Amino acid sequence: MAGVVAVAAESLAGGRARAARTVLDQVVLPGEELLLPEQEDAEGPGGTGERPLRLNAGVRARVRVVCGPGLRRCGDRLLVTKCGRLRYKEPGGSGGGGGVYWVDSQQKRYVPVKGDHVIGIVTAKSGDIFKVDVGGSEPASLSYLAFEGATKRNRPNVQVGDLIYGQFVVANKDMEPEMVCIDSCGRANGMGVIGQDGLLFKVTLGLIRKLLAPDCEILQEVGKLYPLEIVFGMNGRIWVKAKTIQQTLILANILEACEHMTADQRKQIFSRLAES
Amino acid sequence: MEGVMRTDAKMRTESGAESSPRGPGCSLRHFACEQNLLSRPDGSASFLQGDTSVLAGVYGPAEVKVSKEIFNKATLEVILRPKIGLPGVAEKSRERLIRNTCEAVVLGALHPRTSITVVLQVVSDAGSLLACGLNAACMALVDAGVPMRALFCGVTCALDSEGTLVLDPTAKQEKEARAILTFALDSVERKLLMSTTKGLYSDAELQQCLAAAQAASQHVFRFYRESLQRRYSKS
């Protein structure tokens, strides 16, 4: 229990907007406003440091930033809508725009986002589409033609209760989400019906993002332990299959516990399992 | 604002013969909060104020029945269960107050045709129940990751027969008071989101209670901030 006895008083005029740069990697709360950094003045064409003439001399232009999850635009400021750590990513390469700001929050409930790869469970077959439960507020629809090599004559072999790995092509707040199991070239690319056996379990969205990060050592260590097949869905679902049921269960427990363990505890557990 | 609480002679800052000790310099009882303690709901929190404790769970944004869906925003439902007995009219009225407060703060337009359900269970009631319920609901909504435009908190004031103002009254103080006022305040500018009052009080006393509640709400918001920072510092 986090107990606190408040002692000192603050001024009533709290909640002033702070510059986004000063709050990076700190915990931000809903309701806070962040100021965006101002644009650097470009060098004049003469090269001697002349400033270009501005029509509205008093206002300085702001950098264009991308507003990621957990932030909303409000005037020329960013309003924080979720609690978490504020993160920033530099603009890559050709310097278009000012980078991305987002809030790294811990959540269990998934909200469909276009382009996300997710694991869904087929709940119904109605006419030409399958209804797939992806853990969001409504089931996604999946057309039977959205599989590699599927035609009207050659229907894919999908039954109710099957696991599907696909990506969203339509996912916004106003429409029913739609998913497909082919990429833009028409190839499956790993998507489609997930095979027999194995175990599907649910974890938090933050853990999935951590495991899918490019420099994650957990996956490499797990791979050295047993040969396995694993599928990660951005909706918090993981499907695991190893040679025996016992190994599958051990892997599932390790991945679930990863969220709360430190790196040292994890290494201990792995070394103990590798011995036995 | 410490000055406001000390110089106003009518306000009691000493606990006196109360069973629950109060923090120095602040009239609110000791509070504590725990988040993410239930495995089923998307967000959960338990809020403790003195001996009053409320457990809140939030489910959402989830599927909604066609009869209850709203085309352009989320349907917010609040269910309050008392400690013993079936929920009655008093619970219904408290549910409505909490729902109106949450609707003012939650960005429902981002999740149309979904439902966000807040379930509150009274674990123990020792005065200021509605305020404790509001605080628990706010912490649970933050834990679930529901987008909000601000945080909110609940503060209760009681006026006794001499006109002395007591913040966060215990059950005994509430019974002996001539008026009990509960306010819900938001975190951005301490604006009033909801107020419910019972009893006899004058216009000046109302303003005084509101000012005291606004001053006390800073302590609650500072506690929220510390509690959330502690939670995110572990990961």
Side-chain angles (χ1 to χ4, degrees):
Chain A
M1 287 272 204
V4 157
V5 176
V7 180
E10 290 172 334
S11 74
L12 201 59
R16 269 187 316 274
R18 299 184 276 176
R21 243 173 325 170
T22 58
V23 200
L24 281 184
D25 288 338
Q26 287 177 34
V27 175
V28 287
L29 299 182
E32 288 185 9
E33 287 196 341
L34 303 171
L35 295 168
L36 293 171
E38 292 178 345
Q39 201 167 34
E40 302 281 328
D41 273 328
E43 285 285 326
T48 54
E50 296 167 347
R51 284 178 174 211
L53 193 66
R54 289 185 193 282
L55 288 174
N56 46 349
V59 174
R60 303 194 57 183
R62 304 236 173 221
V63 191
R64 287 184 123 215
V65 295
V66 177
C67 199
L71 296 169
R72 306 270 310 157
R73 278 192 189 277
C74 128
D76 59 348
R77 297 178 177 187
L78 294 178
L79 174 72
V80 179
T81 57
K82 292 194 191 180
C83 174
R85 286 192 184 274
L86 187 69
R87 304 276 191 216
Y88 175 63
K89 188 174 143 189
E90 300 280 336
S94 47
V100 190
Y101 281 99
W102 77 94
V103 176
D104 211 351
S105 61
Q106 293 169 356
Q107 254 183 265
K108 289 192 205 170
R109 171 66 67 164
Y110 177 67
V111 172
V113 170
K114 183 174 168 181
D116 264 2
H117 291 259
V118 293
I119 299 180
I121 305 173
V122 179
T123 53
K125 244 204 273 203
S126 65
D128 291 342
I129 55 168
F130 303 112
K131 285 279 179 223
V132 180
D133 162 46
V134 292
S137 61
E138 50 182 339
S141 77
L142 170 65
S143 163
Y144 75 96
L145 290 172
F147 289 85
E148 183 171 10
T151 60
K152 285 193 184 153
R153 300 277 179 95
N154 178 19
R155 288 173 175 248
N157 183 15
V158 176
Q159 307 303 324
V160 171
D162 279 353
L163 294 178
I164 300 270
Y165 183 63
Q167 64 176 343
F168 285 114
V169 288
V170 171
N172 55 49
K173 60 183 168 82
D174 300 309
M175 296 168 63
E176 181 197 34
E178 291 176 28
M179 59 188 286
V180 291
C181 291
I182 49 173
D183 60 11
S184 47
C185 305
R187 283 192 291 264
N189 209 10
M191 295 187 273
V193 181
I194 296 177
Q196 296 288 321
D197 305 329
L199 177 67
L200 179 78
F201 58 97
K202 201 162 174 345
V203 295
T204 60
L205 308 186
L207 178 63
I208 296 276
R209 290 196 297 262
K210 188 164 109 175
L211 291 170
L212 287 176
D215 51 353
C216 177
E217 334 141 316
I218 305 177
L219 270 191
Q220 294 161 3
E221 291 172 17
V222 165
K224 281 185 219 146
L225 207 54
Y226 307 120
L228 80 162
E229 277 180 66
I230 193 163
V231 179
F232 294 103
M234 296 298 289
N235 53 345
R237 292 181 182 168
I238 304 181
W239 178 85
V240 162
K241 181 173 164 186
K243 281 211 184 111
T244 66
I245 296 179
Q246 199 182 20
Q247 289 179 359
T248 310
L249 288 171
I250 292 174
L251 289 167
N253 285 330
I254 291 176
L255 287 170
E256 274 172 344
C258 262
E259 184 153 27
H260 308 290
M261 288 198 291
T262 60
D264 297 323
Q265 288 168 327
R266 216 175 46 228
K267 286 193 173 54
Q268 274 180 5
I269 295 193
F270 277 123
S271 50
R272 236 190 300 153
L273 281 170
E275 284 161 29
S276 62
Chain B
M1 281 305 144
E2 185 85 308
V4 169
M5 295 171 72
R6 289 237 171 89
T7 55
D8 192 334
K10 288 201 166 196
M11 241 188 288
R12 258 204 301 153
T13 52
E14 290 292 298
S15 53
E18 299 306 317
S19 53
S20 52
R22 293 179 182 232
C26 149
S27 307
L28 301 173
R29 291 179 284 181
H30 174 88
F31 33 73
C33 167
E34 193 179 349
Q35 287 196 308
N36 205 18
L37 58 162
L38 299 172
S39 59
R40 288 291 183 124
D42 301 323
S44 54
S46 159
F47 206 88
L48 201 82
Q49 267 179 236
D51 286 327
T52 307
S53 170
V54 175
L55 181 62
V58 169
Y59 297 85
E63 244 182 272
V64 66
K65 269 194 257 194
V66 183
S67 57
K68 287 193 195 166
E69 77 175 7
I70 304 177
F71 75 96
N72 60 343
K73 56 185 180 130
T75 309
L76 205 92
E77 266 183 358
V78 176
I79 300 171
L80 175 64
R81 296 235 176 272
K83 185 173 172 194
I84 42 174
L86 292 171
V89 177
E91 278 73 40
K92 268 277 175 295
S93 112
R94 287 195 184 117
E95 282 173 14
R96 189 148 183 261
L97 295 168
I98 298 175
R99 192 182 74 234
N100 288 344
T101 312
C102 294
E103 273 178 359
V105 159
V106 163
L107 289 169
L110 293 179
H111 299 288
R113 295 166 298 111
T114 63
S115 81
I116 299 175
T117 310
V118 182
V119 183
L120 296 155
Q121 170 68 57
V122 176
V123 174
S124 64
D125 182 4
S128 312
L129 184 65
L130 183 58
C132 193
L134 282 165
N135 295 336
C138 181
M139 285 272 100
L141 284 167
V142 165
D143 188 41
V146 173
M148 302 205 283
R149 64 171 59 87
L151 297 174
F152 61 92
C153 80
V155 183
T156 314
C157 303
L159 286 168
D160 71 3
S161 42
E162 293 132 32
T164 316
L165 197 158
V166 177
L167 285 173
D168 202 14
T170 60
K172 184 163 169 286
Q173 287 170 324
E174 276 187 350
K175 223 189 302 186
E176 293 165 359
R178 77 169 142 88
I180 301 171
L181 303 93
T182 305
F183 302 107
L185 301 160
D186 90 341
S187 64
V188 177
E189 286 169 25
R190 313 280 183 269
K191 280 200 187 136
L192 188 62
L193 292 171
M194 181 277 292
S195 88
T196 180
T197 62
K198 180 173 125 175
L200 208 62
Y201 53 90
S202 72
D203 192 19
E205 282 171 341
L206 171 67
Q207 296 300 327
Q208 190 191 11
C209 288
L210 186 52
Q214 284 176 325
S217 68
Q218 300 167 55
H219 297 280
V220 186
F221 289 131
R222 193 177 334 115
F223 173 67
Y224 282 178
R225 176 176 290 275
E226 286 168 4
S227 169
L228 289 166
Q229 277 174 344
R230 202 176 303 210
R231 178 163 178 229
Y232 278 91
S233 69
K234 285 184 191 156
S235 56

